[in-house]
Amino acid sequence: DTQKFSFLTVEQVCSILNYTKSYVYQLTHRREIPFYKPRGGKLLFDPDELKAELLPAKFRLLANYRTAPMRS
């Protein structure tokens, strides 16, 4: 049984997350988001791994926002 794999390109990740290319490259350089680079070629991203990595970060931001004291 052959599975079909679907990966995202840098351009697609930028479009989905509204990030610049340079920021996505920074994140990969710092190993802050999961990526693949088969045979030294183009960067590829697994959508499920990106969700698993980025959603907790967004929830942390939301939690910090909700618990931050109100300014007068």
Side-chain angles (χ1 to χ4, degrees):
D1 189 18
T2 307
Q3 286 184 324
K4 190 171 188 175
F5 296 100
S6 178
F7 289 94
L8 301 172
T9 64
V10 172
E11 291 79 11
Q12 290 170 317
V13 171
C14 291
S15 177
I16 291 167
L17 299 176
N18 199 27
Y19 290 166
T20 63
K21 267 184 155 178
S22 63
Y23 186 61
V24 171
Y25 285 121
Q26 286 177 26
L27 293 173
T28 59
H29 179 73
R30 295 189 309 236
R31 306 271 190 232
E32 292 183 17
I33 58 173
F35 66 94
Y36 297 91
K37 194 170 181 183
R39 298 184 189 147
K42 292 178 15 173
L43 289 174
L44 299 174
F45 304 86
D46 182 316
D48 294 328
E49 289 178 1
L50 276 180
K51 278 188 228 172
E53 187 68 31
L54 295 175
L55 279 179
K58 290 188 186 271
F59 285 128
R60 282 194 302 272
L61 288 174
L62 182 59
N64 288 338
Y65 175 76
R66 287 185 177 168
T67 59
M70 295 287 279
R71 292 185 184 179
S72 314

